[in-house]
Every structure is written in C-alpha cells, then in structure tokens.
Amino acid sequence: MKTASVRPFPMSHVLSTYARFPVTLVRGEGTRVWDEAGKSYLDFCTGIAVCSLGHCPPRLVAAICEQAGTLLHVSNLYTIPQQEELARVIVEDHVKLPGKVFFANSGAEANDGLIKTARRFGHARPMPDGAPRYEVLSFTKSFHGRTLGGINATGQDKVKEGFDPMLPGFRHLPFNDLAALEAAIAPETAAILLEPVQGEGGVNVATPEFLRGVAALCKKHDLLLMLDEVQTGFGRCGQAMAWRAIAPEIQPDAISWAKGMGGGFPIGAFWLSDKTIDASGKTLSSLMGPGSHGTTYGGNPLACAASLAVLAEVAEKDLNANALKQEQQIRETIASWQLPAITEVRGVGLLLGVGLDTSTFAVPEGKLPAAFVCGKLLEAGLLVPPAGPETIRLLPPLNVSDAEIDEALAIFKSVLVTLS
C-alpha cells in the first residue's frame, strides 16, 4: 500500500509540547501499525485508549466514507439526525438512566461542561445565605484535561506549572480516602468529580466502598456526583460504563466521555441526569439550556456516524466480554513470570497498569523509568504508554485476540528480562 510522504522526525514546525518517541507511524491495520521504514509494531497504546476497534476497522471506515459523501458538517443551529440517534443509544443502551447528552470534540471539553454544570447547579441550589455554591472536589493523581478548567480540576501539579494563577473553586483530596473527603466538604461545595479508574495518574482503581461512600455523601450534602469516563467508558473496563464494573448500584448525576467512543475519530460528550432538583420539577439537565454551552464542531454528522459504528460493533461483537477475558489472560501470564521488576498489575478490563520496581534495573540519568522501558519496548516492536514514572499501561484494542496478547506479553517479558 502506497503511503503519503512524511517528513522525518523531528518536526521543526510543530510546537514541542510532547516528549515524542523517535518513530514515525504511517499505516495501521487491526492491532498493528507500520513506520515509514516498513517496520511493524503491535499497538497496545491505541492512541491512548482511543482506537477501540484497532486501526482502520472496516465498519468504521465504511461509516466515515458513507457519511463524508453525504453530509460532513452542519451547525448545531439545526437538528442533526445522527446526533439524535447517538444520544438515544448512549442514554438507553449504555447509561440506562434518564438524561440528556451534549456532544463536544474531546474529553477536556466534556469535563469543562461538567464543571460549568456544577456551577449552574450551585446557583440553582445555593448556600443557606443565598450565595451560589461553586466548589468542585477532585482527587490527587487525577487527570481531567489540558484546558484551564481541566488542569484546575486535575490533582497533579505538573500540569499546572507556569499557568498561575489557578482558578478558585477546586480542591484535591486523597483518592479512596472517604474520611478525608467527608471532612473536606464545605458549604460552598457543589460537586465531586472522579475517575472510576485513574488512567494518567498510574491506573488507580476506585474501590467499591469508596464509590458507594462518595455517592452517599453526595446525597447527604446535596452534591453532584460527576464521573470522568473519558478513558474508561464504552467497553474499556469490560462494561459500557466503568463505574458499573466497580459499584453497579450507584447512580451518577453527570458523566463525561471521549477517546474510545469514536474509535479514532475526534468526539467527546457529557451526560446530565434528568433528576429533579427542586419542588417545581426542574431537572438537572434543564440547567444547561439555550445559550449556556455550545460548540462549532461537536456532534456533527460525521463524528456521530463514526461513533454509532464503533458502539454498534462493540455491542454486537460483545467486546466488553473480550476485554474481561483478555484482562484475565494478561494477569495470569504476568503473574506466572514472577519477575522482580514487576510489583503488581492494577486496573480493570483492558485499562491495565503494570507497576515497576525500578531498583531492579538501571535507568539512564534524566530518564523516567516507565518512559525508558516504553522506549525499549518500542525498539522490540511493542507500543505502550507510561502512566506516571513507574507504571506501564496496556491499552490494546477491545477486539484484541489471544494470539496478539501472547505476542505482546512475550515481547514485554523479554525486554524486562534483558533489563534486569
């Protein structure tokens, strides 16, 4: 297959906002990608949990091509049938709770929508003195995007450096520490925002007790329970919604998504519950009415056609079940190695983090251990991303096969053995 000419790494006219690995990828098919020299790699990064069906899946390609030949874009000033259908599928088949969906272009935008909703809710349900509530509580090691709102909600100082002053209305508490959370709730608190599984922060899983406790505190103190499922949603954790893989009985008030819901096509969204918030029958979803929020590209026909194809494939092929099956295979295989370099495997479904004991191998000065190991794995033909300084993420497509898991883990083991 002929590919377009690509200038060699590095790209001198592109801002240096990424610490890129030294490879230029030009083609993909299924779980494999190829660089400009023709070398193939198993892709267990998948655009950081984006390519749910792998690269260039026929159903997604066909949906994009068909829609591109019919109608690419139309303003949200008009009704978009594909958007209406995608919202119905998400609400009825995935969230399974009454509510409404807003479509954006990314996870950061979706999370900004949640933050704005929390502020609106704080106006509708103010403090006893009539002043609006505005505070959003989130957690250390969280990640909620790179917008100004997103970095303020994120519980990692590294994303905030040089962007002072921070916005008021955010505090970060220890993850899975219910007592600390309860002690921190103040009169101005309006919402709690959390990831069921913290992907960027090291693949840290919320415990069932913690999620249930957070939900109970939200009811007790009239707070919104907002879940960031940008990396976890739509099958990545073996359920349509990751919170149901941990504490299925809870009912969130708001959820954000992006990444895997488009299979590689940019799309994000957030859902708001139809629950009533006052005696007049006003609903939470009605707080974001005309003029409260908007986007030029979000939810256009092309993006929604792509997402509909992805979600249909995940459902019809029961890829949620495959994610859980392959999780078990990965855990059992890695446990059988008994390698000192590996401390544990964390995560749910196919959002897994392999913890590294960095005392068992030498790391070059100036290199973070996980990034160094990811570089060695790349050289050996396996693409994986780090999650913090001492964790490797495994994010294969949801339709990954047994043989591909075996091949990837063989590469992983051989590299760790060589380093140790």
Side-chain angles (χ1 to χ4, degrees):
M1 180 183 294
K2 187 176 181 180
T3 58
S5 175
V6 180
R7 289 191 175 188
F9 180 96
M11 296 167 288
S12 59
H13 301 295
V14 176
L15 277 174
S16 300
T17 55
Y18 301 98
R20 300 180 192 265
F21 291 100
V23 63
T24 300
L25 303 175
V26 297
R27 183 168 69 90
E29 182 178 346
T31 312
R32 298 187 187 277
V33 289
W34 286 262
D35 67 19
E36 57 186 356
K39 179 179 177 180
S40 70
Y41 305 80
L42 268 175
D43 188 0
F44 276 41
C45 175
T46 56
I48 311 184
V50 167
C51 302
S52 302
L53 307 178
H55 294 279
C56 302
R59 186 171 190 161
L60 176 56
V61 171
I64 290 173
C65 289
E66 181 180 353
Q67 188 60 52
T70 306
L71 184 65
L72 283 169
H73 176 78
V74 65
S75 170
N76 279 295
L77 293 172
Y78 313 105
T79 300
I80 301 171
Q82 296 85 353
Q83 185 182 115
E84 295 285 339
E85 176 61 9
L86 180 56
R88 184 197 67 77
V89 167
I90 289 172
V91 172
E92 294 183 2
D93 300 342
H94 293 81
V95 179
K96 299 181 181 180
L97 296 169
K100 295 176 177 59
V101 179
F102 177 93
F103 291 102
N105 305 285
S106 68
E109 290 177 82
N111 282 330
D112 274 359
L114 295 192
I115 293 166
K116 288 179 68 175
T117 300
R119 295 282 179 101
R120 272 284 169 103
F121 177 72
H123 279 260
R125 306 279 293 176
M127 291 185 273
D129 65 0
R133 294 187 290 164
Y134 58 88
E135 184 180 60
V136 174
L137 299 179
S138 60
F139 299 92
T140 55
K141 298 186 179 180
S142 62
F143 183 80
H144 300 294
R146 297 280 185 173
T147 60
L148 197 56
I151 66 173
N152 277 269
T154 294
Q156 299 187 56
D157 289 340
K158 66 181 181 180
V159 305
K160 305 177 185 185
E161 293 174 2
F163 299 111
D164 309 89
M166 291 293 106
L167 299 176
F170 298 90
R171 278 187 293 149
H172 312 295
L173 304 163
F175 196 50
N176 280 328
D177 188 335
L178 199 59
L181 173 61
E182 184 166 20
I185 294 171
E188 63 269 21
T189 306
I192 298 171
L193 173 63
L194 65 90
E195 302 155 274
V197 183
Q198 294 181 329
E200 297 292 330
V203 192
N204 308 304
V205 183
T207 66
E209 296 77 17
F210 183 66
L211 278 188
R212 294 182 191 118
V214 173
L217 287 174
C218 286
K219 289 182 180 179
K220 178 180 178 181
H221 295 280
D222 190 25
L223 311 176
L224 295 184
L225 173 55
M226 307 194 304
L227 299 181
D228 177 341
E229 292 237 12
V230 168
Q231 190 166 149
T232 62
F234 297 110
R236 177 56 56 182
C237 292
Q239 293 275 355
M241 302 287 102
W243 97 79
R244 287 202 173 103
I246 303 169
E249 70 277 18
I250 72 168
Q251 293 192 2
D253 300 307
I255 314 168
S256 60
W257 307 285
K259 289 190 181 288
M261 70 181 294
F265 196 94
I267 185 170
F270 67 89
W271 167 89
L272 300 179
S273 169
D274 279 342
K275 76 171 188 178
T276 57
I277 60 170
D278 64 21
S280 72
K282 181 183 292 185
T283 64
L284 176 65
S285 58
S286 72
L287 293 180
M288 299 301 279
S292 64
H293 203 50
T295 174
T296 296
Y297 297 108
N300 71 19
L302 188 57
C304 290
S307 186
L308 281 165
V310 171
L311 299 190
E313 186 80 355
V314 171
E316 291 173 18
K317 298 293 177 61
D318 197 11
L319 298 186
N320 291 335
N322 191 57
L324 296 176
K325 172 191 172 187
Q326 302 302 348
E327 175 194 0
Q328 189 67 21
Q329 181 179 350
I330 291 169
R331 287 184 177 277
E332 290 177 356
T333 301
I334 291 178
S336 72
W337 297 343
Q338 297 185 329
L339 288 178
I342 294 177
T343 60
E344 62 178 330
V345 177
R346 301 184 297 273
V348 182
L350 289 176
L351 173 50
L352 296 176
V354 181
L356 301 175
D357 182 347
T358 58
S359 69
T360 63
F361 57 91
V363 179
E365 187 175 352
K367 290 271 190 180
L368 292 175
F372 169 67
V373 174
C374 286
K376 291 298 182 182
L377 291 168
L378 182 149
E379 293 173 7
L382 177 63
L383 303 183
V384 291
E390 299 178 353
T391 303
I392 303 291
R393 261 179 296 183
L394 300 178
L395 303 169
L398 304 184
N399 54 5
V400 65
S401 69
D402 293 358
E404 290 163 339
I405 293 289
D406 286 341
E407 183 182 352
L409 292 180
I411 295 172
F412 195 9
K413 180 182 180 182
S414 67
V415 167
L416 289 180
V417 168
T418 300
L419 290 176
S420 298

